[in-house]
């Protein structure tokens, strides 16, 4: 199997227009700040923007909250920054109008609901850990064991600057492992209750044919059917009959996980 | 997650210079997040609040602190036990 460049390019170029506004009760200035507009790359992560957001709003909040870690919220749900932006939008933004309106908070950090992410480095470490988990599932960490610091830095830097080719120069090692994958890194999210499903899943079914996403969803979700649910991957209907490993190579997010959103029709 | 018992067995193993705990096997509520386990290890090992504890699955990766133990158990338990390594400095970088 080789990679499908068109699919990968399409995934890397997907973006969501967003409008960040400061929570009105946190504004201590007489004048309301202008909103902060950005095109959010679906494949990327919110903390990569935090410095800019913080700088934009810092002068409108009290001096003591200025340096506290910010957190973001959509529709009263705090956004879990360790998930890729595209997943967050597919999971929470079903009824959202564009631009996606996100509220910025400096105060009352919801410790029970989201992790603190005080710096970009914390977010990058989390991202690399997710890659390590994916590699463990595929090869029992054979690839990450031999990956240099330079290659890791190349991946995080290329994700930040959205240079697909630089990213894939390293990512290819993680995807084409020279032996069959043991398991496919896959997380399924049910938008009804924001539940996350993760189980061990291989690349073949009992008949030794390539396992498809449809077979997995039939197995994981009670009474799964096309009439009841729609299945999203990167904001578009997921190809349910495609072999899971093909999806893993070509349609995973940057951390090498497939994040599939299932929502009722 | 369905299929995961309410209480699961977790086996904690020290790594590097991490202090050895008197008890290493615990029965833990599976709905709890990883961060709860980290707090408990700090308490049991009598670490200062400023000291860090890093938890690893299969000596391969550190799960997100808000990951539910049930999910880790579902995917990574062997012989009905979830084995986690803990360290006071980062390991398996």
């Amino acid at each position: 199997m080789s990679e499908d460049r068109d699919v990968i390019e399409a995934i890397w170029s997907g973006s969501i227009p967003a409008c960040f506004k400061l929570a009105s009760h946190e504004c201590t200035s007489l004048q309301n700040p202008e909103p902060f507009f950005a095109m959010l790359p679906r494949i990327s992560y919110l903390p990569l923007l935090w410095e800019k957001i913080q700088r934009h709003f810092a002068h409108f909040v009290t001096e003591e909250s200025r340096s506290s870690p910010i957190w973001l919220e959509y529709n009263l749900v705090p956004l879990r920054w360790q998930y890729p932006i595209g997943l967050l939008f597919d999971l929470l933004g079903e009824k959202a109008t564009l631009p996606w309106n996100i509220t910025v908070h400096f105060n009352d950090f919801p410790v029970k609901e989201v992790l603190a992410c005080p710096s970009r480095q914390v977010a990058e470490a989390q991202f690399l850990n997710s890659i390590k988990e994916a590699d463990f599932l595929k090869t029992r960490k054979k690839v990450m064991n031999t990956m240099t610091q330079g290659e890791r830095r190349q991946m995080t830097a290329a994700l930040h600057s959205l240079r697909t080719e630089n990213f894939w120069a390293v990512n290819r090692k993680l995807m084409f492992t020279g032996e069959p994958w043991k398991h496919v890194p896959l997380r399924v999210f049910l938008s009804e209750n924001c539940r996350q499903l993760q189980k061990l899943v291989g690349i073949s079914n009992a008949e030794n044919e390539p396992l498809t996403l449809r077979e997995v969803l039939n197995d994981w979700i009670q009474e799964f059917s096309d009439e009841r649910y729609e299945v999203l991957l990167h904001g578009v209907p997921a190809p349910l009959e495609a072999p899971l490993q093909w999806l893993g190579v070509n349609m995973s997010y940057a951390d090498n996980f497939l994040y599939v959103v299932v929502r009722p029709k | 997650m369905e299929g995961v018992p309410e209480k699961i067995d977790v086996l904690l193993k020290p790594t590097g210079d991490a202090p050895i705990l008197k008890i290493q096997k615990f029965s833990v509520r599976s709905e709890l997040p990883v961060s709860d386990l980290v707090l408990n290890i700090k308490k049991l090992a009598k670490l200062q609040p400023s000291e860090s504890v890093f938890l690893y699955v299969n000596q391969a990766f550190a799960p997100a602190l808000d990951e539910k133990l049930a999910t880790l158990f579902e995917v990574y338990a062997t012989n009905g036990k979830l084995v986690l390594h803990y360290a006071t400095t980062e390991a398996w970088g």
Side-chain angles (χ1 to χ4, degrees):
Chain A
M1 195 195 308
S2 62
E3 75 224 44
D4 188 320
R5 297 303 309 169
D6 291 344
V7 172
I8 292 163
E9 288 295 341
I11 286 171
W12 275 69
S13 56
S15 57
I16 300 158
C19 169
F20 295 87
K21 286 183 188 146
L22 182 63
S24 51
H25 62 276
E26 293 186 28
C27 180
T28 52
S29 145
L30 280 177
Q31 198 188 1
N32 277 330
E34 293 284 317
F36 177 82
F37 290 95
M39 286 298 279
L40 305 179
R42 279 183 155 269
I43 193 102
S44 192
Y45 295 85
L46 290 166
L48 298 186
L49 281 163
W50 280 6
E51 265 174 52
K52 279 186 191 166
I53 296 173
Q54 193 139 16
R55 221 178 304 133
H56 185 91
F57 294 113
H59 291 291
F60 298 90
V61 297
T62 59
E63 214 168 318
E64 51 270 29
S65 26
R66 212 162 275 172
S67 51
S68 47
I70 60 167
W71 58 282
L72 305 174
E73 167 236 306
Y74 167 70
N75 227 356
L76 303 177
V77 181
L79 299 179
R80 298 174 77 186
W81 54 264
Q82 74 265 39
Y83 291 139
I85 291 165
L87 168 68
L88 291 172
F89 184 77
D90 291 346
L91 191 58
L92 304 168
E94 186 185 2
K95 298 197 172 71
T97 49
L98 294 177
W100 190 20
N101 279 305
I102 297 175
T103 308
V104 179
H105 295 269
F106 287 73
N107 297 334
D108 307 318
F109 197 96
V111 275
K112 282 197 167 14
E113 291 168 85
V114 280
L115 300 173
C117 180
S119 68
R120 215 178 98 188
Q121 284 71 27
V122 173
E124 286 177 354
Q126 183 69 50
F127 169 70
L128 283 172
N129 259 306
S130 204
I131 289 192
K132 287 180 200 169
E133 178 172 0
D135 183 46
F136 181 85
L137 288 166
K138 286 186 278 192
T139 72
R140 305 208 147 253
K141 74 172 182 177
K142 277 197 187 128
V143 183
M144 285 310 281
N145 272 347
T146 59
M147 190 171 282
T148 63
Q149 284 301 332
E151 287 173 317
R152 291 165 199 227
R153 268 197 302 273
Q154 182 174 336
M155 288 186 95
T156 49
L159 178 62
H160 194 224
S161 56
L162 293 176
R163 285 175 212 267
T164 318
E165 195 36 56
N166 286 3
F167 186 88
W168 266 83
V170 183
N171 201 38
R172 234 161 251 137
K173 292 190 184 184
L174 290 159
M175 291 300 180
F176 305 107
T177 51
E179 54 186 273
W181 290 4
K182 294 193 167 50
H183 301 104
V184 182
L186 166 69
R187 291 189 175 121
V188 173
F189 290 80
L190 307 176
S191 72
E192 283 168 288
N193 45 19
C194 278
R195 225 152 52 90
Q196 176 195 327
L197 298 174
Q198 189 185 351
K199 302 177 191 212
L200 282 183
V201 55
I203 56 171
S204 316
N205 61 18
E207 284 81 49
N208 221 9
E209 288 159 355
L211 188 67
T212 64
L213 182 56
R214 180 185 295 284
E215 288 172 288
V216 175
L217 296 177
N218 276 335
D219 189 31
W220 288 13
I221 298 170
Q222 267 185 1
E223 295 177 46
F224 174 80
S225 73
D226 292 337
E227 287 72 41
R228 290 176 68 132
Y229 294 104
E230 64 176 334
V231 182
L232 291 179
L233 189 50
H234 302 287
V236 294
L240 295 182
E241 319 305 334
L244 200 59
Q245 191 178 10
W246 185 92
L247 289 174
V249 168
N250 294 297
M251 295 191 78
S252 283
Y253 278 85
D255 68 353
N256 280 226
F257 266 89
L258 283 166
Y259 291 97
V260 172
V261 172
V262 176
R263 62 189 187 200
K265 275 189 173 165
Chain B
M1 256 174 152
E2 66 264 39
V4 176
E6 247 174 75
K7 286 207 139 190
I8 54 169
D9 285 336
V10 176
L11 190 65
L12 295 172
K13 294 186 172 180
T15 279
D17 294 336
I20 297 167
L21 302 176
K22 280 198 190 116
I23 315 164
Q24 301 186 339
K25 201 174 141 192
F26 299 86
S27 180
V28 192
R29 292 216 321 277
S30 60
E31 55 167 5
L32 291 176
V34 171
S35 56
D36 257 66
L37 213 49
V38 170
L39 285 178
N40 272 320
I41 294 172
K42 278 192 185 178
K43 218 178 336 173
L44 292 168
K46 300 194 171 67
L47 296 175
Q48 300 299 318
S50 58
E51 289 181 273
S52 313
V53 165
F54 300 89
L55 268 188
Y56 293 90
V57 178
N58 286 317
Q59 306 183 38
F61 67 93
L65 286 172
D66 59 355
E67 185 87 87
K68 293 238 185 318
L69 291 171
T71 307
L72 294 181
F73 186 88
E74 165 78 46
V75 183
Y76 300 107
T78 44
N79 303 323
K81 275 195 301 283
L82 177 63
V83 182
L84 297 171
H85 285 74
Y86 62 95
T88 48
T89 52
E90 274 189 82
W92 299 293

